Amino acid sequence: MTKDQKKQNTKPVVPVEPQPAKVAPKMVKRRQKGDFWINLSIALFISVCLLILGFELLIKIAG
């Protein structure tokens, strides 16, 4: 082979990005259900705190 033929045979090297691992659909649903209950519990906790603070504020205003 001559140098010209070697240059024609070489192709530019393109790095291949690793593909992300696929998660089973059951795991996705399970994670979404867990997130829902966590978010719901946080929302309920914040609501209760705001109700208590609002009630204390009403008592201070009335008193």
Side-chain angles (χ1 to χ4, degrees):
M1 274 191 178
T2 64
K3 290 182 181 179
D4 293 332
Q5 288 175 339
K6 286 183 181 179
K7 286 182 182 176
Q8 290 175 355
N9 289 339
T10 58
K11 294 180 181 177
V13 178
V14 179
V16 178
E17 295 179 10
Q19 296 293 326
K22 291 187 177 182
V23 180
K26 287 183 180 180
M27 291 300 292
V28 173
K29 287 182 181 178
R30 197 172 291 161
R31 187 181 310 150
Q32 288 174 349
K33 287 179 183 177
D35 289 348
F36 170 76
W37 289 111
I38 291 170
N39 291 339
L40 183 65
S41 62
I42 291 171
L44 288 174
F45 176 75
I46 291 172
S47 299
V48 169
C49 290
L50 289 174
L51 281 172
I52 292 171
L53 290 174
F55 187 70
E56 288 180 0
L57 186 63
L58 283 174
I59 290 174
K60 283 184 182 180
I61 291 172

